[in-house]
Amino acid sequence: MASAAEQLASNLNFSTFAKAEDLKKRLWFTLAALLVYRLGTHIPLPGLNPEAYAQAFRGQAGGILGLFNMFSGGAVQRMAIFALGIMPYISASIIVQLMTSVVPALENLKKEGEQGRKIINQYTRYGTVILGALQAYGIAAGLESGQGLVVEPGWFFRVSTVLTLLGGTMFLMWLGEQITSRGIGNGISLIIFAGIAAGLPTALAGTLELGRTGALSTFLILLVIIVAIAVIGIIVFVERAQRRLLIQYPKRQVGNRMFQGDTSHLPLKLNTSGVIPAIFASSLLLLPATVAGFANTSAMPSWVTSIVAALGHGQPLYMALYGALIAFFAFFYTAIVFNPKDTADNLKKHGGFIPGIRPGERTAEYIDYVLTRITVIGALYLVFVCILPEILVSQTGIPLALGGTSLLIVVSVTLDTVAQIQGHLIAQQYEGLIKKSKLRGGKRGR
């Protein structure tokens, strides 16, 4: 028999959405916030020579700059005030999560509930400021080293660039938090989604233009479209897939009444790590090519240039290392975000147990056993989804925005957003049912 939540979800329709005034306000707020973000990606950084920078960017678009430009919604290509994007905040969040598994003080804060999470979030903001300032200064120094990129090089340009780029990142962090609290949730993910989605029409138009000029055949364009649709279908299927562990709760007595034991499920996603492995793997592998692009290649030893060439986008070594790093980060990040021991302790504290498994350490070992095996499937799925489109991108020259990482982010965030909207609608229906029951109770009392 379906649960009450599932029954309510099946009854959701347009009339329910029309009555959800709070949800509509949240949607309008989210759209307005994303519009502000898109406007910020078109405000250029002061002190640059636009023509010289555009020419320099075209030479580095295939490296890590192209990846960051995709995540920032084209802000890197225009060197806008939001060029750093939200990546320093994501990096700081991952570093803090890693430290919570190593530093006992942070681990204790994580267990303190809401108050502990607020302190950890504050540490994340401090880390964002530090990482953002370092990256902004690196960008300023890199721009000054370019030929004719900066109109007036000097400390004034460096300080103004650091303050502008860091201010843009901090504003995006605040904007994401506002979308999470006052919008429909997933603020940081929606900002990344908006940046990638904004580049998809241009990428599609660029692909069709390649077909019009004869650079791509009609067969290859159709193949790219078919692969993209198939990849989207696979992402939807796997991202919604779960391995549910049956949880039972014993009978309990309250006063003279005996209540029957309840049953529930512990859902374990096949892809617990999300899109983080693909982002990390891409960043690490594109870094050598980007550094080599800014450096003087004639002064490098021959073996260094050979390694850099082998790690170029689309090369066999690049693809092999890309798949291996994705698989590694899938296991690594899953181990960080999901702790079987904590889950087993929480089940034991509330009297829950897995049938046939002793509570405590045995339950933790069993959850870890199941999680490891489904993570193998999740890692293989990530490798397949990211590698197959990358092969097409490298062989055909289609834009990077149609690659596996971008499709994975867009589809995953879309699924999460739809789930958030359904959650708000279900809460709206629950509130309506409660009000009706109170009115009926009042009438009966009269």
Side-chain angles (χ1 to χ4, degrees):
M1 182 179 293
S3 64
E6 290 173 342
Q7 290 177 355
L8 282 174
S10 64
N11 294 329
L12 296 178
N13 48 41
F14 287 104
S15 63
T16 307
F17 178 80
K19 298 176 183 177
E21 295 296 331
D22 181 66
L23 176 60
K24 286 191 286 187
K25 291 179 181 178
R26 288 177 174 272
L27 285 173
W28 281 115
F29 179 85
T30 302
L31 291 175
L34 294 179
L35 178 61
V36 171
Y37 161 64
R38 289 302 303 154
L39 290 175
T41 59
H42 288 80
I43 301 176
L45 191 70
L48 283 182
N49 184 341
E51 296 180 359
Y53 177 76
Q55 183 178 359
F57 178 82
R58 283 193 292 269
Q60 297 294 326
I64 198 170
L65 291 183
L67 182 68
F68 287 163
N69 183 61
M70 180 184 69
F71 290 146
S72 64
V76 174
Q77 182 178 2
R78 293 180 286 271
M79 193 45 67
I81 59 175
F82 289 161
L84 271 182
I86 205 68
M87 297 306 291
Y89 177 77
I90 295 177
S91 301
S93 300
I94 294 172
I95 292 173
V96 171
Q97 288 180 356
L98 287 171
M99 293 179 66
T100 54
S101 303
V102 179
V103 181
L106 292 176
E107 188 176 1
N108 293 332
L109 283 175
K110 187 178 180 181
K111 297 177 181 179
E112 289 181 4
E114 185 64 25
Q115 187 64 29
R117 281 194 294 270
K118 288 182 179 179
I119 298 176
I120 291 177
N121 288 338
Q122 196 64 27
Y123 290 157
T124 303
R125 294 187 184 98
Y126 295 151
T128 302
V129 173
I130 296 173
L131 290 178
L134 292 175
Q135 293 179 18
Y137 184 81
I139 290 175
L143 291 173
E144 282 190 337
S145 65
Q147 186 68 28
L149 298 181
V150 180
V151 178
E152 294 183 3
W155 276 105
F156 179 79
F157 172 78
R158 297 180 192 177
V159 173
S160 63
T161 299
V162 170
L163 292 178
T164 303
L165 294 180
L166 181 59
T169 295
M170 299 307 294
F171 177 79
L172 288 182
M173 182 183 69
W174 175 83
L175 193 65
E177 292 176 351
Q178 295 303 308
I179 294 174
T180 301
S181 60
R182 301 174 60 186
I184 56 176
N186 296 329
I188 302 300
S189 299
L190 282 174
I191 289 176
I192 299 176
F193 166 84
I196 297 176
L200 289 178
T202 304
L204 184 59
T207 303
L208 296 178
E209 179 65 20
L210 291 175
R212 188 186 68 82
T213 57
L216 284 179
S217 65
T218 305
F219 172 76
L220 279 177
I221 294 178
L222 291 176
L223 179 62
V224 168
I225 295 175
I226 292 173
V227 170
I229 295 174
V231 168
I232 291 173
I234 293 172
I235 293 172
V236 172
F237 177 78
V238 177
E239 291 297 326
R240 295 176 65 90
Q242 295 177 345
R243 170 72 162 88
R244 294 187 173 186
L245 300 181
L246 180 64
I247 305 296
Q248 288 188 347
Y249 294 91
K251 296 180 180 180
R252 56 192 179 92
Q253 184 174 357
V254 179
N256 295 326
R257 298 184 61 183
M258 180 66 71
F259 291 90
Q260 185 68 28
D262 295 329
T263 60
S264 63
H265 293 90
L266 175 64
L268 300 176
K269 292 185 63 175
L270 288 186
N271 180 28
T272 307
S273 58
V275 74
I276 295 298
I279 296 176
F280 269 36
S282 300
S283 302
L284 286 177
L285 283 178
L286 291 175
L287 188 59
T290 304
V291 173
F294 283 110
N296 185 9
T297 55
S298 60
M300 290 184 179
S302 58
W303 63 271
V304 174
T305 56
S306 300
I307 293 177
V308 171
L311 290 176
H313 195 269
Q315 297 298 322
L317 181 59
Y318 171 88
M319 293 297 181
L321 290 177
Y322 187 39
L325 285 174
I326 289 175
F328 169 76
F329 283 120
F331 282 93
F332 182 73
Y333 196 70
T334 298
I336 294 173
V337 299
F338 190 93
N339 191 332
K341 188 177 184 304
D342 291 344
T343 304
D345 291 341
N346 290 331
L347 288 175
K348 185 177 180 180
K349 185 186 303 181
H350 293 89
F353 63 93
I354 300 175
I357 307 296
R358 294 180 59 184
E361 186 177 349
R362 292 292 185 184
T363 299
E365 292 176 356
Y366 178 74
I367 294 175
D368 183 66
Y369 172 85
V370 175
L371 185 64
T372 301
R373 276 145 187 79
I374 64 175
T375 303
V376 172
I377 301 175
L380 292 175
Y381 144 77
L382 284 176
V383 171
F384 174 78
V385 164
C386 293
I387 289 292
L388 182 60
E390 290 295 332
I391 294 176
L392 288 177
V393 168
S394 61
Q395 296 298 322
T396 61
I398 63 175
L400 188 63
L402 294 177
T405 304
S406 57
L407 291 178
L408 180 62
I409 294 174
V410 169
V411 177
S412 300
V413 175
T414 301
L415 292 175
D416 291 340
T417 304
V418 170
Q420 291 279 352
I421 294 174
Q422 288 182 342
H424 284 291
L425 291 176
I426 291 174
Q428 180 83 11
Q429 284 201 343
Y430 268 125
E431 291 177 1
L433 291 175
I434 292 173
K435 290 180 180 178
K436 288 180 180 180
S437 63
K438 287 182 178 180
L439 289 174
R440 290 173 183 173
K443 291 180 180 179
R444 290 175 183 175
R446 293 177 184 175

